[in-house]
Amino acid sequence: MVNIILGAIALGLLWGIMTLGVHLTYRILDVADLTVEGTITTGGAIAAIMITSGVNPWLSCVAALGAGLIGGLVTALLHTKLKIPALLSGILTMTACYSINLRIMGKANIPLPSTGSNKVETVFTPVHELMKKLVGEYDDSASAAWLYDIICSKNFSAMLVGILVIIVISVITYWFFGTELGCAIRATGNNQKMVRAQGISTTLMIIICLMLSNGLVAFSGAFLSQYQGFADVKQGQGAIVIGLAAIIIGQVTFGKIFRNFALKLLAVSLGSVIYYVVIQAVISLLDIDSNYLKLISALIVAVFLAVPNLRQKVFKNFRKERSHA
């Protein structure tokens, strides 16, 4: 059970990278960018192709990041230059990405085996090997063996990498949006007319924000493919729902506590972890068929979406009762 929870946390952290990208467009530009469902697969496809060709896995992640930047650029140009609505621009790019991803991969699925003669090294492999060396020999007692199995598991290594990457990205994001350019992007999301009055190009700000967002999404896709052990042309389906769910869960859970921009970024990542822990707990404890995963996801998102409104109504009724008392 502990290993299952660790797996949910690791998966939540890796998806949390994608959620940070969605956060940039959804919270800053107020756009639910559907491009992410295409670029997250593009990132995974590029990473899989490069790793199976013998390229360093970290370098493949950087290449995936670059591909995501291009995907975001296409959506941004469709929206800003051709004046196509942002939502439709994202749908167009996402649709185009499906064919591009198939062309990159050459087939619908590329395995990344962790055992056997075709074994490939991922970003998690060195951490996994390091954990084994650090733990070393262990006691013959059941408790020690149990602890050894957890620390030396793939899920534990993925969790450590996920935490490290999330921290680094959050710090860089927080620093960037504190710069003059970053503040201009945030101001564009708040009031474009005011920004244009200051002589700032809102078109350029939107382009940069969409590029950064999809760059992070593709970066996440590269990690997810390595963690799952394969890249699939359909792995991006529902990505925008997961991203928005994590943002909403983070806001509902930590909104009253995390008011600083840096803490809001942390809340987004924690929201992704909570989402996957809840999903895994429901499936494991209730022994639900995995075919109902999308339905469960929709119900969980609906519950968290309804919580703020229900809470407001409860407090409003409570205040009325007190005023009449």
Side-chain angles (χ1 to χ4, degrees), residues 80-118:
T80 58
K81 299 299 183 181
L82 300 183
K83 304 303 177 184
I84 299 173
L87 186 62
L88 185 55
S89 297
I91 293 173
L92 291 172
T93 308
M94 175 191 69
T95 305
C97 279
Y98 185 85
S99 296
I100 293 170
N101 294 336
L102 274 176
R103 181 68 182 85
I104 292 171
M105 297 169 67
K107 53 185 177 179
N109 186 286
I110 296 179
L112 294 170
S114 57
T115 57
S117 58
N118 296 325

Side-chain angles (χ1 to χ4, degrees), residues 196-231:
R196 281 195 291 267
Q198 299 296 320
I200 299 172
S201 171
T202 55
T203 297
L204 180 60
M205 298 303 106
I206 292 171
I207 290 173
I208 292 173
C209 191
L210 283 168
M211 287 180 67
L212 291 175
S213 171
N214 284 281
L216 288 176
V217 169
F219 195 56
S220 172
F223 283 96
L224 285 168
S225 290
Q226 294 177 66
Y227 174 73
Q228 293 169 161
F230 64 89

Side-chain angles (χ1 to χ4, degrees), residues 122-313:
T122 66
V123 293
F124 310 111
T125 305
V127 179
H128 185 66
E129 296 298 326
L130 179 62
M131 288 297 104
K132 285 184 176 180
K133 288 182 181 179
L134 289 177
V135 172
E137 294 297 325
Y138 62 92
D139 241 359
D140 289 333
S141 63
S143 60
W146 173 79
L147 183 62
Y148 177 88
D149 289 340
I150 290 175
I151 294 175
C152 295
S153 68
K154 173 187 173 182
N155 290 333
F156 189 80
S157 301
M159 186 182 71
L160 292 180
V161 173
I163 291 172
L164 176 63
V165 173
I166 285 287
I167 290 173
V168 171
I169 291 176
S170 297
V171 169
I172 293 173
T173 304
Y174 178 69
W175 167 80
F176 174 76
F177 281 98
T179 63
E180 186 176 341
L181 177 58
C183 289
I185 294 173
R186 293 170 69 180
T188 299
N190 289 328
N191 192 327
Q192 290 194 26
K193 290 182 179 179
M194 183 273 290
V195 172
R196 281 195 291 267
Q198 299 296 320
I200 299 172
S201 171
T202 55
T203 297
L204 180 60
M205 298 303 106
I206 292 171
I207 290 173
I208 292 173
C209 191
L210 283 168
M211 287 180 67
L212 291 175
S213 171
N214 284 281
L216 288 176
V217 169
F219 195 56
S220 172
F223 283 96
L224 285 168
S225 290
Q226 294 177 66
Y227 174 73
Q228 293 169 161
F230 64 89
D232 191 89
V233 74
K234 293 184 178 180
Q235 76 179 54
Q237 286 185 349
I240 188 65
V241 175
I242 296 172
L244 296 178
I247 292 170
I248 292 160
I249 291 170
Q251 179 185 351
V252 171
T253 309
F254 305 104
K256 297 286 185 180
I257 308 170
F258 296 171
R259 297 184 179 275
N260 179 274
F261 182 70
L263 294 177
K264 286 180 179 179
L265 293 175
L266 177 61
V268 167
S269 301
L270 292 176
S272 179
V273 172
I274 293 171
Y275 172 83
Y276 270 99
V277 169
V278 171
I279 287 284
Q280 192 60 59
V282 170
I283 292 175
S284 300
L285 296 177
L286 301 182
D287 195 26
I288 295 176
D289 192 331
S290 59
N291 290 328
Y292 296 108
L293 181 60
K294 297 293 184 183
L295 175 60
I296 295 169
S297 301
L299 291 173
I300 290 172
V301 174
V303 168
F304 276 96
L305 278 171
V307 165
N309 186 43
L310 293 174
R311 186 169 55 189
Q312 188 177 5
K313 285 184 177 180

